[in-house]
Amino acid sequence: ARPRLDGLALPRAPRGPRTPRGYVENKYPVGEALTLAPAFLVAHTLARLLHPPTGWVWLMPDGYSLIYQILCVAWIAALGGASMILLDRWLARMLPGPPGSLLAGVLLLWVGTQYFWYFVFEPFMVHVASTFWIVCVVYFSARAVDLARREQASPWLPGAIGFAAAMALICRPTNVFILPVAVLGLWQTLRAAEARLRWRALPWLVVAPAPILIQMSIWRITSGSYFYDSYHNEGFDFAHPNLWQTLVSTRHGLFLWSPLLLLAVWGLARRGSRWPEADRPFLAALVIGGLILWYLNSSWWCWWFGWAFGARAFIATRAESLSCSR
């Protein structure tokens, strides 16, 4: 029987592994929670205001009632839509062509890969949020490169690139693959900016690492250390990556589940050498990032990523592959 206090049954203590400070261990980083925070806080405010006078269960301010779920799902859908809009704008700048073909490419990415499943059926998994921040890094970095080519710069772009990259990292640690694109965008911006503009960019750059500092603070509170490996029972085997299996295996092989992406590989092989010379560093950063993620995913102990709809660990690379398939 459960222990009781003043006639009320107390909930059982949660089970599971504990951190060195006795907290229940949560191996997942805080990126998705921070991404959902705006919608969650609005829902919590409405619940606190409206539940007392109405008493409606779906407005209970408990963090789980229907009002939270509705607003958070709507927020995730908005982020997914924003991702596609940014991709379309980026493609229009990078690959001039008929607007209809660009729109078709974006729509095929949306509904022709595993992204659609997680957008519609499992929106509270991190993949839609993670993809949004990856797309932001690509879009802002491409904008920075474009401005630098015209010997221009924007003071807020370095901070935007850094913040989006930090959010991507604390959504999924393997999003480290996007750093070549982020570094290129930051370097091009700071190279093209005058000294006065660099000083104006400094406040934005100071704010950019905030997501990582929040994650480190949580690790410090729960474990006693600013650096904590919450995946300590799981890891990588970098010496024996399952490179072939992650692409064509029946256990969620990337091309087996999303054969549409073969067009991206074909487009890269066909158009890569004919890209304008000024754009080739950006293309190289995209390709290097994709190869890094392929190697990391293939080296993970559970390279098929469990019970998943297709190769979900590759979803964030859709922003890169789309540019090549055009």
Side-chain angles (χ1 to χ4, degrees):
R2 296 186 181 184
R4 304 179 68 86
L5 179 65
D6 295 332
L8 298 176
L10 298 179
R12 294 184 185 275
R15 299 178 180 177
R18 300 277 176 162
T19 68
R21 286 193 167 180
Y23 290 92
V24 176
E25 189 170 75
N26 178 13
K27 70 178 183 179
Y28 301 107
V30 299
E32 185 175 17
L34 291 181
T35 304
L36 290 174
F40 185 92
L41 292 174
V42 170
H44 191 63
T45 300
L46 292 175
R48 292 290 298 271
L49 292 174
L50 300 178
H51 180 261
T54 63
W56 293 338
V57 174
W58 67 277
L59 285 174
M60 288 185 64
D62 58 2
Y64 297 95
S65 59
L66 193 57
I67 183 66
Y68 295 91
Q69 298 182 43
I70 290 174
L71 291 187
C72 287
V73 167
W75 179 246
I76 293 173
L79 294 181
S83 300
M84 300 302 120
I85 292 172
L86 290 177
L87 282 176
D88 182 74
R89 294 186 62 180
W90 170 52
L91 287 174
R93 184 180 297 113
M94 294 284 291
L95 301 170
S101 64
L102 298 178
L103 177 61
V106 173
L107 292 178
L108 285 173
L109 167 73
W110 200 342
V111 303
T113 67
Q114 293 93 333
Y115 181 86
F116 184 74
W117 173 273
Y118 292 95
F119 180 85
V120 174
F121 297 105
E122 297 188 76
F124 284 119
M125 290 192 73
V126 75
H127 300 295
V128 176
S130 172
T131 300
F132 171 75
W133 295 114
I134 293 295
V135 169
C136 286
V137 173
V138 172
Y139 178 81
F140 292 141
S141 296
R143 183 178 175 87
V145 171
D146 185 53
L147 288 175
R149 189 180 306 150
R150 291 178 278 152
E151 298 184 351
Q152 299 176 6
S154 174
W156 62 269
L157 267 180
I161 295 170
F163 183 83
M167 285 296 299
L169 284 173
I170 64 169
C171 279
R172 289 180 62 85
T174 52
N175 282 345
V176 68
F177 82 90
I178 202 61
L179 288 185
V181 177
V183 169
L184 177 63
L186 288 170
W187 178 76
Q188 291 279 30
T189 296
L190 297 177
R191 179 185 62 83
E194 300 176 352
R196 180 175 58 85
L197 197 61
R198 291 173 186 167
W199 282 107
R200 290 174 56 192
L202 187 59
W204 299 96
L205 285 171
V206 170
V207 175
I212 294 178
L213 296 178
I214 292 173
Q215 178 67 80
M216 293 173 64
S217 299
I218 293 174
W219 281 336
R220 172 68 176 174
I221 293 170
T222 58
S223 71
S225 173
Y226 287 111
F227 300 95
Y228 183 69
D229 181 14
S230 58
Y231 285 82
H232 52 81
N233 292 325
E234 308 171 59
F236 296 90
D237 185 359
F238 293 115
H240 304 92
N242 295 276
L243 296 172
W244 180 250
Q245 292 92 324
T246 55
L247 297 182
V248 298
S249 170
T250 55
R251 302 179 78 179
H252 309 149
L254 178 64
F255 296 132
L256 193 65
W257 280 72
S258 292
L260 179 67
L261 293 177
L262 289 171
L263 291 176
V265 177
W266 174 76
L268 177 61
R270 179 173 177 267
R271 294 179 56 93
S273 61
R274 291 185 288 172
W275 270 52
E277 186 173 351
D279 291 329
R280 289 182 185 177
F282 196 79
L283 174 63
L286 290 173
V287 172
I288 291 171
L291 293 175
I292 290 173
L293 184 61
W294 178 30
Y295 178 70
L296 290 175
N297 288 343
S298 300
S299 301
W300 186 242
W301 74 275
C302 185
W303 53 266
W304 61 95
F305 283 83
W307 292 98
F309 188 88
R312 62 183 179 88
F314 283 96
I315 287 178
T317 59
R318 305 304 193 257
E320 299 187 350
S321 61
L322 183 59
S323 66
C324 303
S325 63
R326 167 66 176 80

